[in-house]
Amino acid sequence: MLCDGRLSTLRSKLRDAQVDAFLVTHPVNVAYITGFEGVFDSEDAHAAVVSSDAAVLYTDSRYFDSALRASEGTPWQVVLAKRDLFVTVCEDLAQEGRSVLALETSVPYGRFKFISEQWGGNVAALDQLVERIRKVKEADELRRILAAQQLTDRTFDHILDWLRPGVTELEIALELEFFMRREGSEGVAFPPIVASGPNSAFPHARVTVRELTQGDFVKLDFGAVVEGYCADMTRTVVLGAASERQREIYRAVLDANLAGIAAIAPGVPGRSVDRVARSVIEDRGFGDRFGHGLGHGVGMQVHELPSMGPRGSESLLVGNVVTVEPGVYIPGFGGVRIEDLVVVEEHGARVLTGSAKELLEL
Ligand code: ZN
Ligand code: ZN
């Protein structure tokens, strides 16, 4: 079963941390560690308890039947919590004679306090335990991410016909969403960014009713979701013929993107890849116009581990899926970002993004 390997990895981490029981409550981590398909949404309504000899999901009546069905043939036991989820969990664990209960550090302070009071015994907080397992993708997860990226690439092909003067950013963003969902996306990995002209100088611009204008940079950042897994891609085009300055900026970003991809290998810290790409942009004189990190992990969430920013100290591992997305943003003029999705393999990066990267002049 899908969840067996995940559970045994988590259990070995729990042994190292010397905790008896670990309470997983982050909705994405609950979905991951149980491996249950089609049961969970974004609702924070579950508690998955993993100990050396048990794996129990506590949930409420809205999810109980589907969780029970999904658990068939797995090591998971599903419990319908008739009272408060955490009161039930603490009572059951106390009965089992557990002494150290570990929570995720992402637990809100109020809940941490409540559970600590209910529990009475030792409470530990473990940082990003499940997240660190999630960052190394299994073959089936890679298949899903690739399918999401391929749908995202088809969406880019489709939207090129829509990019013309007079159409608003909002209309483009809507069509991106319509197309992705019509083609099978379960939603959007994040609200699409469509930023034109001077708006493209904002790395995470909000979509506006601005009409696309001849000569604009148009920056599109979006991603589909397939079988619970996200894609993430950015392309920047020019409406009409590009100016010399636009070409110069685009070339700097494209060269940084290519250098970053070439620098990826197992064992290399994320920040070293960031440094390689960033120095390309610095050498072209745009160093102070690239403020964000080079990339981030992608999976069930669009932003996850590992980090490929200037402080990304973790070394890349085979099976990590990361973005490579340098950008140059000139206030009042416009900006360019080129973002690819890659998987780290033994001999380097394999690019999952299929869309061309040469400057398109539409
Ligand atoms: Zn993106
Ligand atoms: Zn991204």
Side-chain angles (χ1 to χ4, degrees):
M1 289 306 297
L2 198 58
C3 66
D4 282 6
R6 299 174 184 180
L7 269 179
S8 60
T9 308
L10 178 59
R11 282 182 173 132
S12 77
K13 287 178 186 288
L14 295 179
R15 270 196 303 278
D16 294 345
Q18 297 185 314
V19 302
D20 295 338
F22 183 43
L23 178 58
V24 182
T25 49
H26 187 294
V28 178
N29 289 342
V30 170
Y32 177 83
I33 201 67
T34 59
F36 295 176
E37 303 275 354
V39 174
F40 306 108
D41 46 30
S42 58
E43 191 94 348
D44 183 4
H46 322 278
V49 181
V50 177
S51 57
S52 59
D53 51 359
V56 187
L57 176 75
Y58 293 82
T59 189
D60 65 38
S61 60
R62 294 170 298 171
Y63 302 90
F64 179 72
D65 288 339
S66 55
L68 193 62
R69 201 172 314 129
S71 71
E72 282 170 18
T74 77
W76 284 89
Q77 183 195 343
V78 179
V79 173
L80 173 62
K82 296 212 172 72
R83 297 178 298 137
D84 180 276
L85 213 56
F86 301 112
V87 171
T88 312
V89 167
C90 289
E91 283 176 0
D92 285 3
L93 288 174
Q95 263 180 12
E96 291 167 19
R98 313 276 180 192
S99 59
V100 183
L101 173 62
L103 307 182
E104 299 183 285
T105 47
S106 58
V107 165
Y109 176 69
R111 178 182 293 171
F112 189 91
K113 198 159 164 277
F114 178 77
I115 295 174
S116 301
E117 285 162 7
Q118 288 297 315
W119 175 242
N122 284 337
V123 174
L126 295 179
D127 192 35
Q128 298 190 303
L129 218 53
V130 179
E131 285 85 345
R132 282 204 289 274
I133 304 173
R134 278 171 46 199
K135 76 179 179 177
V136 176
K137 269 64 182 180
E138 300 152 358
D140 190 57
E141 293 181 289
L142 291 174
R143 177 190 63 76
R144 297 176 193 210
I145 293 169
L146 178 61
Q149 184 54 49
Q150 287 172 338
L151 172 46
T152 306
D153 283 312
R154 289 204 302 281
T155 308
F156 180 63
D157 275 351
H158 168 78
I159 211 67
L160 288 176
D161 289 340
W162 281 67
L163 302 179
R164 53 180 184 266
V167 183
T168 68
E169 293 174 357
L170 207 57
E171 286 170 309
I172 305 290
L174 198 57
E175 183 57 25
L176 284 171
E177 283 205 43
F178 271 139
F179 186 86
M180 283 192 281
R181 300 206 63 157
R182 263 198 307 265
E183 295 286 307
S185 180
E186 286 152 21
V188 288
F190 54 94
I193 294 172
V194 178
S196 63
N199 293 348
S200 60
F202 300 102
H204 270 205
R206 295 189 70 90
V207 176
T208 73
V209 291
R210 183 183 184 277
E211 291 180 2
L212 273 51
T213 306
Q214 195 72 6
D216 276 354
F217 268 138
V218 183
K219 186 179 71 199
L220 306 160
D221 186 353
F222 59 101
V225 183
V226 171
E227 293 181 68
Y229 285 77
C230 299
D232 188 9
M233 159 171 121
T234 308
R235 287 293 182 267
T236 308
V237 303
V238 174
L239 282 199
S243 67
E244 252 338 285
R245 185 154 170 73
Q246 284 175 321
R247 279 177 202 286
E248 186 194 358
I249 296 167
Y250 195 90
R251 194 69 237 175
V253 175
L254 179 55
D255 287 347
N257 167 282
L258 295 170
I261 291 170
I264 287 174
V268 176
R271 63 179 172 220
S272 303
V273 183
D274 178 282
R275 178 96 300 276
V276 167
R278 197 169 297 277
S279 51
V280 172
I281 288 176
E282 285 166 356
D283 290 348
R284 311 291 169 89
F286 297 117
D288 55 346
R289 298 293 170 213
F290 174 28
H292 57 75
L294 180 66
H296 54 86
V298 174
M300 296 172 84
Q301 290 178 293
V302 73
H303 288 135
E304 50 180 64
L305 297 178
S307 160
M308 259 194 351
R311 289 176 298 281
S313 56
E314 290 171 278
S315 292
L316 296 173
L317 300 169
V318 170
N320 288 165
V321 172
V322 290
T323 66
V324 180
E325 50 178 309
V328 167
Y329 311 93
I330 315 285
F333 179 79
V336 172
R337 179 164 65 250
I338 303 172
E339 176 180 29
D340 286 328
L341 196 58
V342 313
V343 55
V344 180
E345 295 187 336
E346 208 178 319
H347 300 291
R350 175 164 61 95
V351 180
L352 302 178
T353 313
S355 299
K357 287 190 279 200
E358 290 309 317
L359 178 58
L360 290 176
E361 296 164 285
L362 302 174

